[in-house]
């Protein structure tokens, strides 16, 4: 659906430009039925999934940075809290979570959680603030 694809691309662009915050992104995606999305730092792309199995991949370029070798759930959590308080940009968030050993994350919109993971399968789960 081209209309859904346009909303997804707009959400990604506005998020990367730090013009909308995570709750608004989730709200817009929920309105069009997106079930979940996967941000892959290594491939610099985000894949958005619909309940019927359809998906859309959107580029997600960020400044080059090495991913930390050790996964730090506390480092990821600190970056999430800074985002929740509006203290940094999405690019800063990516940089900080990568430094904490994060290689990507899943946002489970219907499950109201984000799962951040490291290269060896370590993970950190954050419930959406309204879900806590």
């Amino acid at each position: 659906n081209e209309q859904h694809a346009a909303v997804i691309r707009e959400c990604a662009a506005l998020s990367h430009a730090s013009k909308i915050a995570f709750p608004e992104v989730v709200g817009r995606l929920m309105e069009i039925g997106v079930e979940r999305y996967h941000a892959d730092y290594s491939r610099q792309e985000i894949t958005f999934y619909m309940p019927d199995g359809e998906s859309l991949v959107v580029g997600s370029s960020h400044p080059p940075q090495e991913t930390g070798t050790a996964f730090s759930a506390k480092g990821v959590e600190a970056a999430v809290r800074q985002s929740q308080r509006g203290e940094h940009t999405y690019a800063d968030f990516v940089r900080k979570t990568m430094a904490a050993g994060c290689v990507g994350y899943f946002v489970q919109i219907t499950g109201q959680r984000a799962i951040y993971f490291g290269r060896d399968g370590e993970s950190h789960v954050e419930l959406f603030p309204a879900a806590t």
Side-chain angles (χ1 to χ4, degrees), residues 4-6 8-9 46-49 54-58:
H4 290 169
I8 290 169
R9 287 188 183 99
I46 302 174
T47 306
F48 298 83
Y49 299 91
E54 290 291 318
S55 64
L56 176 68
V57 178
V58 176

Side-chain angles (χ1 to χ4, degrees), residues 50-132:
M50 301 300 283
D52 64 3
E54 290 291 318
S55 64
L56 176 68
V57 178
V58 176
S60 176
S61 62
H62 49 77
Q65 175 176 322
E66 288 188 34
T67 302
T69 54
F71 183 78
S72 169
K74 287 184 181 185
V76 170
E77 182 178 9
V80 169
R81 297 293 172 267
Q82 286 183 292
S83 288
Q84 290 171 339
R85 294 188 301 264
E87 295 176 355
H88 60 195
T89 65
Y90 180 72
D92 291 331
F93 172 79
V94 170
R95 182 178 51 77
K96 291 173 184 177
T97 53
M98 287 181 75
C102 183
V103 296
Y105 58 90
F106 278 98
V107 173
Q108 307 293 142
I109 294 172
T110 55
Q112 298 187 356
R113 68 194 67 226
I115 306 160
Y116 301 88
F117 49 93
R119 62 179 79 223
D120 291 330
E122 314 91 334
S123 63
H124 173 71
V125 177
E126 285 283 335
L127 299 178
F128 288 6
T132 57

